[in-house]
Amino acid sequence: MPELIPQPQYARFRPDGAVLELRSPLMHAGPGAGGTARWLRRELGAATGWVLPAPAPGETYDVHQVIRLVVRPELARESGPESYGIHIAPGAVLLEGADEAGLFYAAQTLRQLLGADAYRRAPLPGAVWRLPCGDVADGPRFGWRGLMLDVARHFMPKDGVLRYIDLLAAHKLNVLHLHLTDDQGWRVQIERYPKLTEVGAWRGRSRWGHRASPLWNETPHGGFYTRDDIREIVAYAAERHVRVVPEIDVPGHSQAAIAAYPELGNTDVVDTSALGVWDDWGINENVLAPTEAVLRFYEGVFEELLELFPAEVSPFVHIGGDECPKAQWKASAVAQERIRELEVDGEDGLQSWFIRHFDGWLAERGRRLIGWDEILEGGLAPGAAVSSWRGYAGGIAAAEAGHDVVMCPEQQVYLDHRQAGGEDEPMPIGYVRTLEDVYRFEPVPPKLSEEAAAHVLGAQANAWTEVMEDQSRVDYQVFPRLAAFAEVVWSRLPRPEDRDYADFEARMTAHYRRLDALGVDYRPPGGPLPWQRRPGVLGRPIEGAPPNV
């Protein structure tokens, strides 16, 4: 049995081991299959040297090996959206998808079946390309299969983001949540507010390790995506059937914006003109002022954002809404007057006012607001969705109240958390979350009613980058655990305790070779390699099993 990840619903191959040896095959793409055909010619063409030309008019398939690509909508009625089938016979290969996304995922499985060298960018001498004869039928469990990349704390250049889109697609994941703004940096160009990137995208230094560490990296850090960079990222993702969810944080996590435009902060209690982009980690006290002027400013930000992230690719817009300290609002006469004017329930009511304003504003423009589970406080409009990060509880409450939910509990799928105990783990953060722990993650809590469970759109793994200073560190924290997460959200697995981890671990043997071919700097099963360690740099390890909250 080929070692496929994620595990397909159905895969049967000939017991006699019959294979199809491909030599310069042709490729026939039916209506709607052009995108997958281009991807195969580019990716498989690079690895194999194949041109994959279309058959000439009147050319019979019994003369040449042919890879046929077919979009078959009736598959959607049988197996759901994004489903696909693969049929490999001694003379031909048929890939069929319920839709264009399903066909693309069939191509991803085909690539796995060809072996690890199909992931290289040039053919190896003497390579032979064989496919096992048989059939695969497959489709996803969830419609939201995501990864959040925090590019605010440590900037990931555009090419790194494009690379991660390819890695998501290779694992049949379909959502990239980009955390674009925070106290430590603003990463997206906004034309009407140029200082957001001129000032807000750069900090003078960075804490080296957890915020308890006494060490500093004194090299200035920064970067941002231009408007054209964002357009390129979004288009590149769309070609690979990945939706991009942009996040702009309000009203907390906003010091980079306040450093650029001091009038956004609580000027009657803090000298905001003295603030710079924050160089430390943690929860920051400098939050947005609760004024109409601040709302107008961020409406301007979101207007440009909606232009850069079209609705067909990015129906959701994330507004953060988490970890907003209230001390400045308590001390601010402006904020206290605002509470009286709005007749809201104190400072918590102000935060809800912020969220509800943008909830309605986005809805009027055909978008859906999504935010971290703190946005539940004060009530939400019917179309808003919740990222449940503090545990399952927020997601359970939201789903029972009729809101859509993306499950991303930090105790289970925060990939900045360490992968093992011991001193060799670089800058260890949080609970130990092994590859097996992630494999046994269940997005739908058993206590949810059937009606509420239908509101779980799927799940997302989150990679916060305070202690991930470059692409190599991100790779180490994300992989191989993202492969386990991908199987959890794609495959219809048994209950967590009944999952066959030994089988998954055996299939990972082949998958490590794929990751090697892709140049992914993953954590090896035996522990970090010497250059992956960060001896002497403090983290924040938490001992014991994480609570199920």
mmCIF file with all atom_site columns, all heavy atoms in Angstrom, residues 479-499:
data_model
loop_
_atom_site.group_PDB
_atom_site.id
_atom_site.type_symbol
_atom_site.label_atom_id
_atom_site.label_alt_id
_atom_site.label_comp_id
_atom_site.label_asym_id
_atom_site.label_entity_id
_atom_site.label_seq_id
_atom_site.pdbx_PDB_ins_code
_atom_site.Cartn_x
_atom_site.Cartn_y
_atom_site.Cartn_z
_atom_site.occupancy
_atom_site.B_iso_or_equiv
_atom_site.pdbx_formal_charge
_atom_site.auth_seq_id
_atom_site.auth_comp_id
_atom_site.auth_asym_id
_atom_site.auth_atom_id
_atom_site.pdbx_PDB_model_num
ATOM 1   N N   . PHE A 1 479 ? 6.840   21.486 11.073 1.00 0.00 ? 479 PHE A N   1
ATOM 2   C CA  . PHE A 1 479 ? 6.959   20.136 10.530 1.00 0.00 ? 479 PHE A CA  1
ATOM 3   C C   . PHE A 1 479 ? 7.783   19.242 11.444 1.00 0.00 ? 479 PHE A C   1
ATOM 4   O O   . PHE A 1 479 ? 8.762   19.706 12.030 1.00 0.00 ? 479 PHE A O   1
ATOM 5   C CB  . PHE A 1 479 ? 7.604   20.184 9.138  1.00 0.00 ? 479 PHE A CB  1
ATOM 6   C CG  . PHE A 1 479 ? 6.693   20.750 8.098  1.00 0.00 ? 479 PHE A CG  1
ATOM 7   C CD1 . PHE A 1 479 ? 6.810   22.076 7.709  1.00 0.00 ? 479 PHE A CD1 1
ATOM 8   C CD2 . PHE A 1 479 ? 5.709   19.969 7.507  1.00 0.00 ? 479 PHE A CD2 1
ATOM 9   C CE1 . PHE A 1 479 ? 5.967   22.615 6.745  1.00 0.00 ? 479 PHE A CE1 1
ATOM 10  C CE2 . PHE A 1 479 ? 4.865   20.489 6.547  1.00 0.00 ? 479 PHE A CE2 1
ATOM 11  C CZ  . PHE A 1 479 ? 4.989   21.812 6.160  1.00 0.00 ? 479 PHE A CZ  1
ATOM 12  N N   . PRO A 1 480 ? 7.408   17.969 11.562 1.00 0.00 ? 480 PRO A N   1
ATOM 13  C CA  . PRO A 1 480 ? 6.407   17.236 10.772 1.00 0.00 ? 480 PRO A CA  1
ATOM 14  C C   . PRO A 1 480 ? 4.978   17.333 11.295 1.00 0.00 ? 480 PRO A C   1
ATOM 15  O O   . PRO A 1 480 ? 4.083   16.689 10.751 1.00 0.00 ? 480 PRO A O   1
ATOM 16  C CB  . PRO A 1 480 ? 6.900   15.798 10.870 1.00 0.00 ? 480 PRO A CB  1
ATOM 17  C CG  . PRO A 1 480 ? 7.487   15.719 12.248 1.00 0.00 ? 480 PRO A CG  1
ATOM 18  C CD  . PRO A 1 480 ? 8.152   17.057 12.464 1.00 0.00 ? 480 PRO A CD  1
ATOM 19  N N   . ARG A 1 481 ? 4.729   18.131 12.360 1.00 0.00 ? 481 ARG A N   1
ATOM 20  C CA  . ARG A 1 481 ? 3.411   18.090 12.985 1.00 0.00 ? 481 ARG A CA  1
ATOM 21  C C   . ARG A 1 481 ? 2.294   18.526 12.040 1.00 0.00 ? 481 ARG A C   1
ATOM 22  O O   . ARG A 1 481 ? 1.155   18.089 12.189 1.00 0.00 ? 481 ARG A O   1
ATOM 23  C CB  . ARG A 1 481 ? 3.412   18.926 14.267 1.00 0.00 ? 481 ARG A CB  1
ATOM 24  C CG  . ARG A 1 481 ? 4.289   18.306 15.371 1.00 0.00 ? 481 ARG A CG  1
ATOM 25  C CD  . ARG A 1 481 ? 4.237   19.096 16.662 1.00 0.00 ? 481 ARG A CD  1
ATOM 26  N NE  . ARG A 1 481 ? 4.836   20.418 16.536 1.00 0.00 ? 481 ARG A NE  1
ATOM 27  C CZ  . ARG A 1 481 ? 4.963   21.284 17.543 1.00 0.00 ? 481 ARG A CZ  1
ATOM 28  N NH1 . ARG A 1 481 ? 4.526   20.957 18.751 1.00 0.00 ? 481 ARG A NH1 1
ATOM 29  N NH2 . ARG A 1 481 ? 5.518   22.461 17.354 1.00 0.00 ? 481 ARG A NH2 1
ATOM 30  N N   . LEU A 1 482 ? 2.617   19.391 11.066 1.00 0.00 ? 482 LEU A N   1
ATOM 31  C CA  . LEU A 1 482 ? 1.567   19.817 10.144 1.00 0.00 ? 482 LEU A CA  1
ATOM 32  C C   . LEU A 1 482 ? 1.054   18.644 9.318  1.00 0.00 ? 482 LEU A C   1
ATOM 33  O O   . LEU A 1 482 ? -0.110  18.639 8.904  1.00 0.00 ? 482 LEU A O   1
ATOM 34  C CB  . LEU A 1 482 ? 2.066   20.929 9.222  1.00 0.00 ? 482 LEU A CB  1
ATOM 35  C CG  . LEU A 1 482 ? 0.957   21.651 8.452  1.00 0.00 ? 482 LEU A CG  1
ATOM 36  C CD1 . LEU A 1 482 ? 0.088   22.479 9.394  1.00 0.00 ? 482 LEU A CD1 1
ATOM 37  C CD2 . LEU A 1 482 ? 1.529   22.538 7.353  1.00 0.00 ? 482 LEU A CD2 1
ATOM 38  N N   . ALA A 1 483 ? 1.893   17.648 9.072  1.00 0.00 ? 483 ALA A N   1
ATOM 39  C CA  . ALA A 1 483 ? 1.433   16.466 8.338  1.00 0.00 ? 483 ALA A CA  1
ATOM 40  C C   . ALA A 1 483 ? 0.388   15.708 9.150  1.00 0.00 ? 483 ALA A C   1
ATOM 41  O O   . ALA A 1 483 ? -0.618  15.231 8.602  1.00 0.00 ? 483 ALA A O   1
ATOM 42  C CB  . ALA A 1 483 ? 2.619   15.560 8.009  1.00 0.00 ? 483 ALA A CB  1
ATOM 43  N N   . ALA A 1 484 ? 0.605   15.586 10.466 1.00 0.00 ? 484 ALA A N   1
ATOM 44  C CA  . ALA A 1 484 ? -0.387  14.935 11.327 1.00 0.00 ? 484 ALA A CA  1
ATOM 45  C C   . ALA A 1 484 ? -1.667  15.750 11.372 1.00 0.00 ? 484 ALA A C   1
ATOM 46  O O   . ALA A 1 484 ? -2.777  15.205 11.289 1.00 0.00 ? 484 ALA A O   1
ATOM 47  C CB  . ALA A 1 484 ? 0.183   14.757 12.734 1.00 0.00 ? 484 ALA A CB  1
ATOM 48  N N   . PHE A 1 485 ? -1.527  17.057 11.489 1.00 0.00 ? 485 PHE A N   1
ATOM 49  C CA  . PHE A 1 485 ? -2.707  17.925 11.514 1.00 0.00 ? 485 PHE A CA  1
ATOM 50  C C   . PHE A 1 485 ? -3.489  17.806 10.205 1.00 0.00 ? 485 PHE A C   1
ATOM 51  O O   . PHE A 1 485 ? -4.723  17.748 10.207 1.00 0.00 ? 485 PHE A O   1
ATOM 52  C CB  . PHE A 1 485 ? -2.277  19.379 11.743 1.00 0.00 ? 485 PHE A CB  1
ATOM 53  C CG  . PHE A 1 485 ? -3.406  20.351 11.690 1.00 0.00 ? 485 PHE A CG  1
ATOM 54  C CD1 . PHE A 1 485 ? -4.228  20.551 12.781 1.00 0.00 ? 485 PHE A CD1 1
ATOM 55  C CD2 . PHE A 1 485 ? -3.672  21.056 10.525 1.00 0.00 ? 485 PHE A CD2 1
ATOM 56  C CE1 . PHE A 1 485 ? -5.292  21.434 12.723 1.00 0.00 ? 485 PHE A CE1 1
ATOM 57  C CE2 . PHE A 1 485 ? -4.735  21.948 10.453 1.00 0.00 ? 485 PHE A CE2 1
ATOM 58  C CZ  . PHE A 1 485 ? -5.544  22.127 11.561 1.00 0.00 ? 485 PHE A CZ  1
ATOM 59  N N   . ALA A 1 486 ? -2.782  17.747 9.080  1.00 0.00 ? 486 ALA A N   1
ATOM 60  C CA  . ALA A 1 486 ? -3.447  17.648 7.783  1.00 0.00 ? 486 ALA A CA  1
ATOM 61  C C   . ALA A 1 486 ? -4.298  16.388 7.706  1.00 0.00 ? 486 ALA A C   1
ATOM 62  O O   . ALA A 1 486 ? -5.410  16.412 7.169  1.00 0.00 ? 486 ALA A O   1
ATOM 63  C CB  . ALA A 1 486 ? -2.409  17.660 6.658  1.00 0.00 ? 486 ALA A CB  1
ATOM 64  N N   . GLU A 1 487 ? -3.789  15.287 8.246  1.00 0.00 ? 487 GLU A N   1
ATOM 65  C CA  . GLU A 1 487 ? -4.582  14.057 8.225  1.00 0.00 ? 487 GLU A CA  1
ATOM 66  C C   . GLU A 1 487 ? -5.804  14.173 9.131  1.00 0.00 ? 487 GLU A C   1
ATOM 67  O O   . GLU A 1 487 ? -6.885  13.671 8.804  1.00 0.00 ? 487 GLU A O   1
ATOM 68  C CB  . GLU A 1 487 ? -3.722  12.862 8.635  1.00 0.00 ? 487 GLU A CB  1
ATOM 69  C CG  . GLU A 1 487 ? -4.452  11.536 8.523  1.00 0.00 ? 487 GLU A CG  1
ATOM 70  C CD  . GLU A 1 487 ? -3.538  10.377 8.192  1.00 0.00 ? 487 GLU A CD  1
ATOM 71  O OE1 . GLU A 1 487 ? -2.740  10.509 7.234  1.00 0.00 ? 487 GLU A OE1 1
ATOM 72  O OE2 . GLU A 1 487 ? -3.611  9.352  8.882  1.00 0.00 ? 487 GLU A OE2 1
ATOM 73  N N   . VAL A 1 488 ? -5.659  14.858 10.253 1.00 0.00 ? 488 VAL A N   1
ATOM 74  C CA  . VAL A 1 488 ? -6.785  15.030 11.175 1.00 0.00 ? 488 VAL A CA  1
ATOM 75  C C   . VAL A 1 488 ? -7.928  15.790 10.511 1.00 0.00 ? 488 VAL A C   1
ATOM 76  O O   . VAL A 1 488 ? -9.099  15.443 10.667 1.00 0.00 ? 488 VAL A O   1
ATOM 77  C CB  . VAL A 1 488 ? -6.322  15.759 12.453 1.00 0.00 ? 488 VAL A CB  1
ATOM 78  C CG1 . VAL A 1 488 ? -7.506  16.262 13.270 1.00 0.00 ? 488 VAL A CG1 1
ATOM 79  C CG2 . VAL A 1 488 ? -5.442  14.845 13.303 1.00 0.00 ? 488 VAL A CG2 1
ATOM 80  N N   . VAL A 1 489 ? -7.601  16.835 9.748  1.00 0.00 ? 489 VAL A N   1
ATOM 81  C CA  . VAL A 1 489 ? -8.670  17.680 9.190  1.00 0.00 ? 489 VAL A CA  1
ATOM 82  C C   . VAL A 1 489 ? -9.140  17.202 7.823  1.00 0.00 ? 489 VAL A C   1
ATOM 83  O O   . VAL A 1 489 ? -10.215 17.594 7.364  1.00 0.00 ? 489 VAL A O   1
ATOM 84  C CB  . VAL A 1 489 ? -8.249  19.166 9.113  1.00 0.00 ? 489 VAL A CB  1
ATOM 85  C CG1 . VAL A 1 489 ? -8.103  19.741 10.508 1.00 0.00 ? 489 VAL A CG1 1
ATOM 86  C CG2 . VAL A 1 489 ? -6.969  19.357 8.309  1.00 0.00 ? 489 VAL A CG2 1
ATOM 87  N N   . TRP A 1 490 ? -8.363  16.348 7.171  1.00 0.00 ? 490 TRP A N   1
ATOM 88  C CA  . TRP A 1 490 ? -8.792  15.820 5.871  1.00 0.00 ? 490 TRP A CA  1
ATOM 89  C C   . TRP A 1 490 ? -9.489  14.475 6.006  1.00 0.00 ? 490 TRP A C   1
ATOM 90  O O   . TRP A 1 490 ? -10.578 14.261 5.478  1.00 0.00 ? 490 TRP A O   1
ATOM 91  C CB  . TRP A 1 490 ? -7.600  15.682 4.923  1.00 0.00 ? 490 TRP A CB  1
ATOM 92  C CG  . TRP A 1 490 ? -7.966  15.074 3.612  1.00 0.00 ? 490 TRP A CG  1
ATOM 93  C CD1 . TRP A 1 490 ? -8.070  13.733 3.324  1.00 0.00 ? 490 TRP A CD1 1
ATOM 94  C CD2 . TRP A 1 490 ? -8.322  15.758 2.408  1.00 0.00 ? 490 TRP A CD2 1
ATOM 95  N NE1 . TRP A 1 490 ? -8.450  13.540 2.017  1.00 0.00 ? 490 TRP A NE1 1
ATOM 96  C CE2 . TRP A 1 490 ? -8.618  14.769 1.423  1.00 0.00 ? 490 TRP A CE2 1
ATOM 97  C CE3 . TRP A 1 490 ? -8.411  17.101 2.032  1.00 0.00 ? 490 TRP A CE3 1
ATOM 98  C CZ2 . TRP A 1 490 ? -8.991  15.097 0.121  1.00 0.00 ? 490 TRP A CZ2 1
ATOM 99  C CZ3 . TRP A 1 490 ? -8.790  17.417 0.741  1.00 0.00 ? 490 TRP A CZ3 1
ATOM 100 C CH2 . TRP A 1 490 ? -9.072  16.432 -0.197 1.00 0.00 ? 490 TRP A CH2 1
ATOM 101 N N   . SER A 1 491 ? -8.865  13.553 6.710  1.00 0.00 ? 491 SER A N   1
ATOM 102 C CA  . SER A 1 491 ? -9.321  12.155 6.729  1.00 0.00 ? 491 SER A CA  1
ATOM 103 C C   . SER A 1 491 ? -10.412 11.954 7.770  1.00 0.00 ? 491 SER A C   1
ATOM 104 O O   . SER A 1 491 ? -10.471 12.660 8.774  1.00 0.00 ? 491 SER A O   1
ATOM 105 C CB  . SER A 1 491 ? -8.144  11.226 7.026  1.00 0.00 ? 491 SER A CB  1
ATOM 106 O OG  . SER A 1 491 ? -7.076  11.454 6.130  1.00 0.00 ? 491 SER A OG  1
ATOM 107 N N   . ARG A 1 492 ? -11.232 10.979 7.520  1.00 0.00 ? 492 ARG A N   1
ATOM 108 C CA  . ARG A 1 492 ? -12.284 10.617 8.481  1.00 0.00 ? 492 ARG A CA  1
ATOM 109 C C   . ARG A 1 492 ? -11.733 9.546  9.417  1.00 0.00 ? 492 ARG A C   1
ATOM 110 O O   . ARG A 1 492 ? -11.881 8.344  9.177  1.00 0.00 ? 492 ARG A O   1
ATOM 111 C CB  . ARG A 1 492 ? -13.535 10.147 7.731  1.00 0.00 ? 492 ARG A CB  1
ATOM 112 C CG  . ARG A 1 492 ? -14.272 11.311 7.064  1.00 0.00 ? 492 ARG A CG  1
ATOM 113 C CD  . ARG A 1 492 ? -15.309 10.849 6.055  1.00 0.00 ? 492 ARG A CD  1
ATOM 114 N NE  . ARG A 1 492 ? -16.122 11.960 5.571  1.00 0.00 ? 492 ARG A NE  1
ATOM 115 C CZ  . ARG A 1 492 ? -15.741 12.840 4.655  1.00 0.00 ? 492 ARG A CZ  1
ATOM 116 N NH1 . ARG A 1 492 ? -14.543 12.734 4.108  1.00 0.00 ? 492 ARG A NH1 1
ATOM 117 N NH2 . ARG A 1 492 ? -16.535 13.818 4.262  1.00 0.00 ? 492 ARG A NH2 1
ATOM 118 N N   . LEU A 1 493 ? -11.078 10.017 10.459 1.00 0.00 ? 493 LEU A N   1
ATOM 119 C CA  . LEU A 1 493 ? -10.374 9.132  11.383 1.00 0.00 ? 493 LEU A CA  1
ATOM 120 C C   . LEU A 1 493 ? -11.299 8.642  12.489 1.00 0.00 ? 493 LEU A C   1
ATOM 121 O O   . LEU A 1 493 ? -12.309 9.283  12.801 1.00 0.00 ? 493 LEU A O   1
ATOM 122 C CB  . LEU A 1 493 ? -9.177  9.855  12.002 1.00 0.00 ? 493 LEU A CB  1
ATOM 123 C CG  . LEU A 1 493 ? -8.102  10.348 11.023 1.00 0.00 ? 493 LEU A CG  1
ATOM 124 C CD1 . LEU A 1 493 ? -7.033  11.133 11.776 1.00 0.00 ? 493 LEU A CD1 1
ATOM 125 C CD2 . LEU A 1 493 ? -7.483  9.198  10.259 1.00 0.00 ? 493 LEU A CD2 1
ATOM 126 N N   . PRO A 1 494 ? -10.938 7.538  13.148 1.00 0.00 ? 494 PRO A N   1
ATOM 127 C CA  . PRO A 1 494 ? -11.696 7.111  14.329 1.00 0.00 ? 494 PRO A CA  1
ATOM 128 C C   . PRO A 1 494 ? -11.518 8.099  15.486 1.00 0.00 ? 494 PRO A C   1
ATOM 129 O O   . PRO A 1 494 ? -10.812 9.110  15.366 1.00 0.00 ? 494 PRO A O   1
ATOM 130 C CB  . PRO A 1 494 ? -11.064 5.744  14.675 1.00 0.00 ? 494 PRO A CB  1
ATOM 131 C CG  . PRO A 1 494 ? -10.228 5.365  13.508 1.00 0.00 ? 494 PRO A CG  1
ATOM 132 C CD  . PRO A 1 494 ? -9.849  6.632  12.812 1.00 0.00 ? 494 PRO A CD  1
ATOM 133 N N   . ARG A 1 495 ? -12.132 7.791  16.612 1.00 0.00 ? 495 ARG A N   1
ATOM 134 C CA  . ARG A 1 495 ? -11.943 8.597  17.811 1.00 0.00 ? 495 ARG A CA  1
ATOM 135 C C   . ARG A 1 495 ? -10.449 8.685  18.140 1.00 0.00 ? 495 ARG A C   1
ATOM 136 O O   . ARG A 1 495 ? -9.685  7.774  17.813 1.00 0.00 ? 495 ARG A O   1
ATOM 137 C CB  . ARG A 1 495 ? -12.693 8.001  18.989 1.00 0.00 ? 495 ARG A CB  1
ATOM 138 C CG  . ARG A 1 495 ? -14.208 7.969  18.814 1.00 0.00 ? 495 ARG A CG  1
ATOM 139 C CD  . ARG A 1 495 ? -14.866 7.335  20.032 1.00 0.00 ? 495 ARG A CD  1
ATOM 140 N NE  . ARG A 1 495 ? -14.333 5.992  20.297 1.00 0.00 ? 495 ARG A NE  1
ATOM 141 C CZ  . ARG A 1 495 ? -14.653 5.259  21.354 1.00 0.00 ? 495 ARG A CZ  1
ATOM 142 N NH1 . ARG A 1 495 ? -15.488 5.745  22.260 1.00 0.00 ? 495 ARG A NH1 1
ATOM 143 N NH2 . ARG A 1 495 ? -14.131 4.052  21.505 1.00 0.00 ? 495 ARG A NH2 1
ATOM 144 N N   . PRO A 1 496 ? -10.019 9.764  18.793 1.00 0.00 ? 496 PRO A N   1
ATOM 145 C CA  . PRO A 1 496 ? -8.579  9.946  19.035 1.00 0.00 ? 496 PRO A CA  1
ATOM 146 C C   . PRO A 1 496 ? -7.888  8.733  19.637 1.00 0.00 ? 496 PRO A C   1
ATOM 147 O O   . PRO A 1 496 ? -6.796  8.350  19.199 1.00 0.00 ? 496 PRO A O   1
ATOM 148 C CB  . PRO A 1 496 ? -8.547  11.146 19.996 1.00 0.00 ? 496 PRO A CB  1
ATOM 149 C CG  . PRO A 1 496 ? -9.747  11.940 19.623 1.00 0.00 ? 496 PRO A CG  1
ATOM 150 C CD  . PRO A 1 496 ? -10.802 10.934 19.259 1.00 0.00 ? 496 PRO A CD  1
ATOM 151 N N   . GLU A 1 497 ? -8.517  8.102  20.624 1.00 0.00 ? 497 GLU A N   1
ATOM 152 C CA  . GLU A 1 497 ? -7.867  6.972  21.289 1.00 0.00 ? 497 GLU A CA  1
ATOM 153 C C   . GLU A 1 497 ? -7.793  5.733  20.399 1.00 0.00 ? 497 GLU A C   1
ATOM 154 O O   . GLU A 1 497 ? -7.008  4.804  20.679 1.00 0.00 ? 497 GLU A O   1
ATOM 155 C CB  . GLU A 1 497 ? -8.581  6.642  22.603 1.00 0.00 ? 497 GLU A CB  1
ATOM 156 C CG  . GLU A 1 497 ? -10.033 6.229  22.455 1.00 0.00 ? 497 GLU A CG  1
ATOM 157 C CD  . GLU A 1 497 ? -11.008 7.403  22.469 1.00 0.00 ? 497 GLU A CD  1
ATOM 158 O OE1 . GLU A 1 497 ? -10.562 8.561  22.239 1.00 0.00 ? 497 GLU A OE1 1
ATOM 159 O OE2 . GLU A 1 497 ? -12.207 7.158  22.730 1.00 0.00 ? 497 GLU A OE2 1
ATOM 160 N N   . ASP A 1 498 ? -8.604  5.701  19.339 1.00 0.00 ? 498 ASP A N   1
ATOM 161 C CA  . ASP A 1 498 ? -8.634  4.526  18.465 1.00 0.00 ? 498 ASP A CA  1
ATOM 162 C C   . ASP A 1 498 ? -7.804  4.720  17.195 1.00 0.00 ? 498 ASP A C   1
ATOM 163 O O   . ASP A 1 498 ? -7.757  3.818  16.344 1.00 0.00 ? 498 ASP A O   1
ATOM 164 C CB  . ASP A 1 498 ? -10.078 4.197  18.071 1.00 0.00 ? 498 ASP A CB  1
ATOM 165 C CG  . ASP A 1 498 ? -10.930 3.794  19.271 1.00 0.00 ? 498 ASP A CG  1
ATOM 166 O OD1 . ASP A 1 498 ? -10.364 3.232  20.226 1.00 0.00 ? 498 ASP A OD1 1
ATOM 167 O OD2 . ASP A 1 498 ? -12.149 4.059  19.253 1.00 0.00 ? 498 ASP A OD2 1
ATOM 168 N N   . ARG A 1 499 ? -7.167  5.851  17.036 1.00 0.00 ? 499 ARG A N   1
ATOM 169 C CA  . ARG A 1 499 ? -6.414  6.108  15.810 1.00 0.00 ? 499 ARG A CA  1
ATOM 170 C C   . ARG A 1 499 ? -5.136  5.264  15.771 1.00 0.00 ? 499 ARG A C   1
ATOM 171 O O   . ARG A 1 499 ? -4.469  5.091  16.790 1.00 0.00 ? 499 ARG A O   1
ATOM 172 C CB  . ARG A 1 499 ? -6.096  7.598  15.685 1.00 0.00 ? 499 ARG A CB  1
ATOM 173 C CG  . ARG A 1 499 ? -7.344  8.417  15.469 1.00 0.00 ? 499 ARG A CG  1
ATOM 174 C CD  . ARG A 1 499 ? -7.110  9.912  15.450 1.00 0.00 ? 499 ARG A CD  1
ATOM 175 N NE  . ARG A 1 499 ? -8.415  10.595 15.431 1.00 0.00 ? 499 ARG A NE  1
ATOM 176 C CZ  . ARG A 1 499 ? -8.587  11.891 15.573 1.00 0.00 ? 499 ARG A CZ  1
ATOM 177 N NH1 . ARG A 1 499 ? -7.534  12.689 15.738 1.00 0.00 ? 499 ARG A NH1 1
ATOM 178 N NH2 . ARG A 1 499 ? -9.804  12.407 15.559 1.00 0.00 ? 499 ARG A NH2 1
#
